[in-house]
Amino acid sequence: MKQLQNKCVLLTGASRGVGAVIARTLAQRGVNLALVARSRDLLQNVAGALGRRDQNIRIVTADLTDDNDRRRVVDSVLEAFGRVDVLINNAGMETEGAYLDLSFADIRKTVELNLLAPMALTHLILPHMLENKSGHIVNISSIGGKSGAPYDATYCGTKAGLAEWTRGLRLEMEGTGVDFSTIFPGFVTEVGMFARFNMKTPRVIGSCTPKQVAAAVVKVILHRKREIVVNSQPLRPLFALSEISPGLGDWLMHRSGAVEFQRRKVARGK
Ligand SMILES: NC(=O)c1ccc[n+]([C@@H]2O[C@H](COP(=O)([O-])OP(=O)(O)OC[C@H]3O[C@@H](n4cnc5c(N)ncnc54)[C@H](OP(=O)(O)O)[C@@H]3O)[C@@H](O)[C@H]2O)c1
C-alpha cells in the first residue's frame, strides 16, 4: 500500500492503551477508522479526540472473545465502509501469575482474545481482501512471542502462535495482493498493560513508547515489512542465540534479569 489517505482500517483494542495511540497516528494520515473494543465510553473519547470532518470514524462495541460479536463487527464495518483495507489485530490481554494460580477459564479467555480473535476476524475479512486483490493484516504480538517468559507463559504462547500463524499465512497468500505483518513491541511505557505496573525494566531488556509502536504499524503497511521488533535495545541477536541453543536462551533470561523482573512484576500485580 503506497499511502494511507482514505484507506479503511479496522483497529481492535482501540479504546485505550497502545490502540488509542495507533488510532491517533492513523487518523492524522487521513484514514477512515473502525474502532473496536468493549467500552463504549472509552471508544467515544478516543473517536471524539480524532475526527476531521472528511474522515469516517466509526466505533463498534464488541467482546472479541465472542464468535457472534466478531461476525457482527465485520458485517457492520463492511456495511459502513464497503471494504476493509487494513485489519489491525491489537486487542489483547495478559494473564500473568504462577500458571497453577490461574483459572483455566482465564487461560482460555486469553487464547480466545489474543489468538483466536485475530484468526476469526481474518477468516471473515480475508475473502473480501482477496476479492479486491489488496489488503494488509497487521498483528500486534510481543517480544514475549519471541521468547517465553515465566509467570506469563500463556500470554507468550498466544503471541508466539500469533506470529507463526502470520508467517504461515503470509507465505500462503504470496502474490494475492494481501500482505501480513507482525509487530513485536517490547515493554511499552506511558500507557497500556505494562505501564500500569509503574516499573522500570532491566537495562538489557529495554522498553519502547506507544508512538514507536504506532510508527511501526505505519511502516509495515507502507513499506510492506514482514516483521518489526520495537524496542530500545536490539533483542534479535538474543532471540537468535536462544533459537540456536535453548539452554543458552534460558541462561540469558536469568542473566539479563528477565526472570527476576517477571517475579517482581507478578508480586506487584497481586
Ligand atoms: N503494553 C505493553 O507493554 C505491550 C507490549 C507488547 C505487546 N503489547 C500488545 O499490544 C496490544 C495492546 O496492548 P495495551 O498495552 O494497549 O493493552 P490494554 O491497555 O490493556 O488495552 C487492551 C485493549 O484491548 C481491548 N480488549 C480487551 N479485552 C477485549 C475483549 N474481550 N473484546 C474486545 N476488546 C478487548 C481493550 O478494550 P476494552 O477493555 O474496552 O474492551 C483495550 O482497548 C496487545 O495485543 C498487547 O498484547 C503490549
Side-chain angles (χ1 to χ4, degrees):
M1 223 166 274
K2 296 218 163 27
Q3 50 90 26
L4 282 163
Q5 181 86 25
N6 295 328
K7 297 292 184 205
C8 299
V9 175
L10 194 168
L11 170 66
T12 70
S15 61
R16 55 188 159 91
V18 176
V21 179
I22 297 174
R24 264 204 303 282
T25 303
L26 293 177
Q28 282 159 3
R29 288 181 169 257
V31 162
N32 300 312
L33 276 167
L35 307 173
V36 184
R38 291 167 303 179
S39 321
R40 177 171 295 280
D41 291 358
L42 295 181
L43 283 174
Q44 275 167 343
N45 289 346
V46 172
L50 307 177
R52 290 193 336 215
R53 273 198 211 105
D54 54 339
Q55 270 172 290
N56 199 345
I57 311 281
R58 302 279 170 141
I59 62 169
V60 188
T61 53
D63 181 344
L64 290 171
T65 63
D66 183 282
D67 220 16
N68 291 327
D69 271 22
R70 296 191 287 234
R71 257 185 256 280
R72 183 173 51 75
V73 167
V74 173
D75 287 348
S76 66
V77 175
L78 283 172
E79 195 183 310
F81 290 162
R83 57 189 289 134
V84 173
D85 299 300
V86 181
L87 164 65
I88 304 172
N89 287 306
N90 166 73
M93 62 185 283
E94 201 171 19
T95 324
E96 65 274 294
Y99 189 66
L100 291 180
D101 287 349
L102 303 175
S103 73
F104 196 71
D106 281 345
I107 291 168
R108 189 191 295 274
K109 195 166 169 209
T110 310
V111 177
E112 190 72 55
L113 181 66
N114 294 4
L115 185 55
L116 288 178
M119 288 178 166
L121 292 176
T122 299
H123 203 256
L124 294 164
I125 286 173
L126 189 54
H128 301 274
M129 290 182 167
L130 290 173
E131 205 173 283
N132 294 336
K133 298 186 172 53
S134 163
H136 204 130
I137 294 177
V138 180
N139 293 319
I140 309 296
S141 176
S142 159
I143 55 169
K146 289 279 188 194
S147 178
Y151 308 100
D152 221 2
T154 305
Y155 176 79
C156 294
T158 61
K159 294 298 183 178
L162 184 65
E164 290 312 306
W165 169 75
T166 310
R167 187 200 301 270
L169 268 188
R170 180 169 59 236
L171 289 164
E172 188 176 324
M173 296 294 153
E174 268 176 5
T176 62
V178 182
D179 292 315
F180 290 82
S181 306
T182 311
I183 293 175
F184 300 88
F187 289 94
V188 178
T189 57
E190 300 170 25
V191 295
M193 54 175 67
F194 170 65
R196 279 173 226 137
F197 287 94
N198 200 16
M199 287 175 80
K200 207 168 155 27
T201 53
R203 203 179 55 83
V204 187
I205 297 171
S207 61
C208 64
T209 65
K211 272 193 178 163
Q212 289 171 324
V213 179
V217 170
V218 171
K219 190 169 176 183
V220 294
I221 299 169
L222 294 182
H223 300 284
R224 301 185 64 212
K225 293 266 178 208
R226 293 171 175 85
E227 291 187 356
I228 297 185
V229 177
V230 187
N231 202 50
S232 55
Q233 299 292 336
L235 292 177
R236 273 192 190 274
L238 298 185
F239 298 148
L241 284 176
S242 302
E243 269 305 303
I244 294 165
S245 165
L248 179 59
D250 287 4
W251 181 81
L252 283 169
M253 285 293 283
H254 281 284
R255 191 64 210 204
S256 66
V259 170
E260 182 50 31
F261 176 70
Q262 283 295 115
R263 265 197 207 113
R264 282 194 292 119
K265 186 161 153 273
V266 165
R268 193 177 276 230
K270 272 187 180 161

